[in-house]
């Protein structure tokens, strides 16, 4: 009998919670043949990522995953063999009671947020005994061997490499989302939260010696973009030219298309958790807008990632990268650090590819979860 898995996702905000759990659910079905239910408390957010889904359906099958509405009034449900609460969301009390009563107890996992901090490897896989007698295990995604790894589909890198080696595939894809690559232009994607540093980056791109083509999926950064352009009401499809900078607003596209956008670009500005990981699999230089936390806890996470990522870069390249990422995440001007980064561009490109390859030598997160379950049995 195939093992059954329940994944619980509470959408706190934006698209990271649902983005990660939807990706994981699909991979567990497609690559491990598991029976997966994804419980989501906000189908509206899910429909944004999976437009063919029905925002009203209590239950529906999408790409082999049973997507269920996690409603406030929980109906009795037989728990699965493996239960994942994503990002410490709180499971329904009735469901937990059913887990306790199940003759064969389920494996209960808390899938945590991604962090490069040192302590992650020490906490990954640890059990926490609950008052009801069940153990809940902490499962930490991460960048180093002792962690749970990163979400990466089996064929992802082969697909990415084939795509990047095929200029016509890139052109065709870009055309399918309404983009015509401008000759000689550096292609950049921009996905970020509100960011006061944006104006200084746009200034630098507009004053550059090389043309820049900036693609901006609709989202939270648009207000800053409009403020810089001095316009309002920007929508998908709109474009503007300012000096050497051509800006185009894109619609929010599906995850697979977004991957192709990242693969197509020379540089990707990403945010949160999932787009950040996908940019790493693109093997191209990137800029991370980390999700802001109270007490600036996110800045420590940023430093922890930078410490890992910059290993192997020359001193100049390290400095440019660090200064750019720090300025971007503290709303400071980025012109200088951006221009410095351009000074060691080939090195940054090579480094992005070798970072990607090193991370890909670790087991992926879905495979690590399955292995964890098998070891636990
Ligand atoms: O949207 P995010 O900021 O999400 C999150 C949440 O805020 C969450 O609460 C927080 O804890 C976490 O970040 C760290 O960023 P993220 O994680 O990159 O998720 C975006 C998802 O949207 C990702 O799966 C990629 C997808 N996406 C598309 O499918 N199409 C698009 O056009 C774009 C721009 C993104």
């Amino acid at each position: 009998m195939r093992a059954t898995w329940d994944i619980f996702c509470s959408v706190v905000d934006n698209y990271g919670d649902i983005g990660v759990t939807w990706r994981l659910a699909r991979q567990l079905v497609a690559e491990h043949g598991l029976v997966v239910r994804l419980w989501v408390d906000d189908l509206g957010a899910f429909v944004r990522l999976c437009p063919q889904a029905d925002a009203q359906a209590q239950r529906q099958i999408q790409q082999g995953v049973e997507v269920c509405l996690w409603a406030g009034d929980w109906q009795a449900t037989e728990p699965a063999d493996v239960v994942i609460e994503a990002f410490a969301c709180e499971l329904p009390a009735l469901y937990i009671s059913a887990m306790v009563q199940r003759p064969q107890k389920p494996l209960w996992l808390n899938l945590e947020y991604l962090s490069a901090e040192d302590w992650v490897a020490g906490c990954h896989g640890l059990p926490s005994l609950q008052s009801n007698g069940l153990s809940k295990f902490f499962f930490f995604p991460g960048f180093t061997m002792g962690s749970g790894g990163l979400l990466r589909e089996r064929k992802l890198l082969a697909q990415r490499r084939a795509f990047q080696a095929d200029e016509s595939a890139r052109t065709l894809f870009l055309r399918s989302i309404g983009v015509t690559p401008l000759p000689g232009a550096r292609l950049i994607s921009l996905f970020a939260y509100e960011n006061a540093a944006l104006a200084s980056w746009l200034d630098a791109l507009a004053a550059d010696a090389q043309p820049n083509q900036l693609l901006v999926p609709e989202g939270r950064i648009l207000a800053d973009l409009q403020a810089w352009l001095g316009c309002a009401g920007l929508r998908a499809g709109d474009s503007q030219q300012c000096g050497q900078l051509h800006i185009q607003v894109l619609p929010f596209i599906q995850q697979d298309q977004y991957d192709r956008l990242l693969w197509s670009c020379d540089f990707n500005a990403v945010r949160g958790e999932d787009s950040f990981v996908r940019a790493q699999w693109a093997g191209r230089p990137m800029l991370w807008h980390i999700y802001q936390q109270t007490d600036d806890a996110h800045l420590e996470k940023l430093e922890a990632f930078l410490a890992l990522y910059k290993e192997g870069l020359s001193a100049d390249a390290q400095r440019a990268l660090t200064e750019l990422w720090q300025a971007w995440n503290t709303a400071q001007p980025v012109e200088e650090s951006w221009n410095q980064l351009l000074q060691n561009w080939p090195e940054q490109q090579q480094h992005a590819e070798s970072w990607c390859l090193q991370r890909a030598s670790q087991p992926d997160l879905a495979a690590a979860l399955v292995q964890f379950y098998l070891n636990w049995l």
Side-chain angles (χ1 to χ4, degrees):
M1 271 250 296
R2 291 189 293 162
T4 55
W5 290 51
D6 271 337
I7 304 175
F8 284 83
C9 171
S10 167
V11 177
V12 178
D13 58 5
N14 306 316
Y15 303 106
D17 313 292
I18 186 63
V20 166
T21 49
W22 170 229
R23 192 184 291 293
L24 170 64
R26 278 181 295 163
Q27 198 185 348
L28 290 172
V29 169
E31 296 182 8
H32 299 275
L34 300 167
V35 180
V36 181
R37 284 187 298 205
L38 175 60
W39 297 91
V40 188
D41 65 354
D42 175 359
L43 286 177
F46 175 63
V47 167
R48 209 64 174 123
L49 294 189
C50 180
Q52 59 277 22
D54 179 349
Q56 309 303 327
Q58 300 285 317
R59 283 168 191 258
Q60 58 192 303
I61 303 286
Q62 295 293 342
Q63 299 184 36
V65 177
E66 186 178 356
V67 180
C68 310
L69 175 66
W70 177 1
D73 58 334
W74 183 258
Q75 305 296 314
T77 303
E78 179 61 25
D81 299 316
V82 182
V83 179
I84 298 181
E85 53 177 54
F87 311 125
C89 66
E90 215 170 299
L91 298 185
L94 280 174
Y95 185 88
I96 297 179
S97 311
M99 283 164 72
V100 175
Q101 281 150 23
R102 200 178 191 258
Q104 199 187 342
K105 303 289 174 257
L107 169 62
W108 186 2
L109 296 163
N110 175 14
L111 177 63
E112 283 286 351
Y113 286 107
L114 174 63
S115 172
E117 290 163 296
D118 282 348
W119 56 265
V120 161
C123 296
H124 172 62
L126 290 185
S128 148
L129 185 62
Q130 308 293 298
S131 54
N132 58 22
L134 292 180
S135 279
K136 175 156 74 174
F137 292 83
F138 292 101
F139 202 93
F140 280 90
F143 303 92
T144 52
M145 269 327 251
S147 73
L150 300 168
L151 278 175
R152 170 174 44 84
E153 296 78 8
R154 215 172 270 156
K155 294 190 181 141
L156 183 73
L157 292 198
Q159 288 170 345
R160 190 264 284 179
R161 262 184 232 113
F163 181 90
Q164 287 178 337
D166 181 354
E167 193 49 42
S168 65
R170 177 177 179 265
T171 310
L172 268 178
F173 163 71
L174 287 171
R175 229 180 262 154
S176 76
I177 55 165
V179 175
T180 307
L182 301 175
R186 187 183 293 117
L187 195 61
I188 301 176
S189 76
L190 169 60
F191 182 46
Y193 307 111
E194 297 77 9
N195 194 332
L198 179 68
S200 63
W201 192 25
L202 299 178
D203 287 341
L205 294 174
D208 199 350
Q210 185 183 343
N212 291 292
Q213 185 171 6
L214 184 69
L215 305 176
V216 191
E218 275 179 314
R220 289 173 56 177
I221 194 71
L222 278 199
D224 291 314
L225 184 60
Q226 290 178 161
W228 186 79
L229 288 167
C231 71
L234 273 185
R235 279 194 316 209
D238 292 349
S239 59
Q240 297 240 10
Q241 182 76 41
C242 301
Q244 288 283 59
L245 174 61
H246 184 271
I247 300 172
Q248 183 175 350
V249 180
L250 299 183
F252 194 87
I253 49 185
Q254 293 192 40
Q255 281 182 325
D256 290 353
Q257 291 178 300
Y258 182 62
D259 274 339
R260 277 157 187 76
L261 177 66
L262 297 172
W263 302 349
S264 299
C265 287
D266 302 299
F267 187 82
N268 294 301
V270 286
R271 74 182 203 194
E273 180 162 327
D274 194 50
S275 57
F276 171 52
V277 172
R278 304 313 278 187
Q280 293 170 54
W281 299 137
R284 298 274 160 89
M286 60 177 180
L287 172 59
W288 183 27
H289 199 186
I290 191 169
Y291 184 78
Q292 204 163 347
Q293 290 178 289
T294 42
D295 304 332
D296 284 346
H298 60 289
L299 294 180
E300 272 173 47
K301 290 189 178 172
L302 182 77
E303 290 310 317
F305 179 78
L306 275 171
L308 278 184
Y309 183 81
K310 66 190 185 188
E311 251 175 58
L313 279 173
S314 68
D316 280 353
Q318 287 198 15
R319 195 174 322 111
L321 179 90
T322 308
E323 287 177 7
L324 176 66
W325 282 40
Q326 285 172 340
W328 187 243
N329 282 287
T330 50
Q332 299 300 310
V334 298
E335 281 128 308
E336 221 179 292
S337 49
W338 171 251
N339 287 326
Q340 272 168 15
L341 194 90
L342 294 182
Q343 299 299 310
N344 37 65
W345 192 252
E347 187 184 347
Q348 301 283 356
Q349 286 177 310
Q350 264 175 21
H351 187 72
E353 182 64 44
S354 62
W355 168 264
C356 168
L357 292 184
Q358 283 162 24
R359 295 319 110 187
S361 66
Q362 290 171 225
D364 70 83
L365 184 105
L369 277 165
V370 171
Q371 192 56 51
F372 193 87
Y373 172 57
L374 295 176
N375 295 345
W376 173 83
L377 276 177

